Amino acid sequence: MSDIKTSGPFTTIHRDDDKIVIASDLVYNHIGTHAKPGKGSVFSGNITPDMINDKLVSEAIPERGGGVPVNFGADNGYLLVAPIEVAMQFQDATIRAGSKEDFDPKTKTMVPVPVAEVHTSQPITDFTADIATMLVFPYDPTRSTPEQNKFVENDEELRAAKETGRLYALATAFPGGFSLKEVGGKPVPKDKQDSVPKATAWGGVDNPTWAVIIPGSQTELTMENWNKLAGTEWKR
């Protein structure tokens, strides 16, 4: 029988297939940045940790982990990252300096990474995503915080799941697929379709290879709702 438990900053999802997925407020808060302009692809604003947990209960997780496609319906959001050569094809495209969060394995925290923003006059509705993706991987203590590792080691069930390869961790969730074939109606080169690299590999602002897309049409109802939701607190 599946179950969801919360203890302090950690949530564990106990699945019917005996896999256990651990998530933390650190990850939920990072996912919450996908409701804010300029941080990459954005959800439509209604995604909550409870919705993510429900998908972690029901969706198939590959034994080796990876991208788990999910459908949040109207809340899938907008795909707003692209290779720079694709982003520069959008209407009135201009480059500005921006930043995106990424996990720093040294500090075990999310840190801002300088990236290029490509501003376009195209409306955000041109970038609607038809699916979303959760990244779920086998538990790796080297990519976890000391607090989370201690939590796992002090819990007999979690420790046993880790030792038998049944413990997984939610890394993030974002609009769009794990691989990209097109963005905003523009085809993505085949050599860049397999996956979106970590923000630290985007080439920064001076020599960008990937970019965050900032749509225009600020007066659109969709954009007004997006901007309002960007100021709301990410809550359980």
Side-chain angles (χ1 to χ4, degrees):
M1 183 86 178
S2 62
D3 192 17
I4 299 174
K5 303 176 182 178
T6 299
S7 178
F10 304 110
T11 298
T12 52
I13 295 87
H14 303 250
R15 296 163 46 95
D16 289 337
D17 61 4
D18 287 336
K19 292 185 177 76
I20 301 176
V21 182
I22 185 169
S24 68
D25 285 351
L26 177 69
V27 171
Y28 290 133
N29 289 336
H30 170 67
I31 295 171
T33 68
H34 287 287
K36 300 177 181 179
K39 300 300 181 184
S41 298
V42 294
F43 290 114
S44 302
N46 297 319
I47 300 297
T48 66
D50 285 343
M51 292 170 65
I52 292 170
N53 294 344
D54 287 344
K55 295 296 185 182
L56 289 171
V57 167
S58 62
E59 300 297 329
I61 296 175
E63 292 299 319
R64 295 184 179 181
V68 179
V70 294
N71 191 341
F72 292 115
D75 296 321
N76 281 335
Y78 308 97
L79 184 56
L80 297 175
V81 297
I84 191 67
E85 64 269 33
V86 175
M88 292 306 295
Q89 296 178 44
F90 297 128
Q91 186 174 306
D92 303 319
T94 57
I95 298 179
R96 302 180 192 176
S99 68
K100 192 177 187 303
E101 277 196 349
D102 209 340
F103 183 79
D104 180 2
K106 291 183 178 180
T107 63
K108 305 294 180 68
T109 60
M110 295 293 182
V111 297
V113 177
V115 298
E117 291 180 353
V118 171
H119 290 244
T120 172
S121 58
Q122 289 184 220
I124 193 173
T125 49
D126 283 0
F127 302 92
T128 300
D130 56 359
I131 63 169
T133 300
M134 301 185 302
L135 294 186
V136 182
F137 297 102
Y139 191 79
D140 181 354
T142 67
R143 293 193 59 82
S144 301
T145 64
E147 293 78 14
Q148 183 165 284
N149 286 332
K150 183 178 179 180
F151 176 73
V152 169
E153 290 303 318
N154 288 341
D155 186 290
E156 183 177 350
E157 183 181 15
L158 298 181
R159 186 172 64 252
K162 186 191 73 170
E163 292 171 354
T164 55
R166 296 181 294 107
L167 185 62
Y168 292 75
L170 172 67
T172 190
F174 51 84
F178 190 55
S179 60
L180 301 178
K181 292 186 177 181
E182 67 171 44
V183 179
K186 306 292 185 183
V188 173
K190 288 186 177 180
D191 63 336
K192 294 187 176 180
Q193 289 183 4
D194 287 344
S195 63
V196 178
K198 290 170 64 66
T200 50
W202 282 22
V205 178
D206 294 331
N207 298 290
T209 55
W210 285 75
V212 171
I213 301 164
I214 307 296
S217 300
Q218 296 291 327
T219 59
E220 279 193 19
L221 178 60
T222 304
M223 281 299 295
E224 289 176 6
N225 289 339
W226 184 34
N227 288 328
K228 288 178 183 177
L229 290 163
T232 62
E233 185 179 356
W234 177 252
K235 297 180 179 179
R236 293 187 183 280

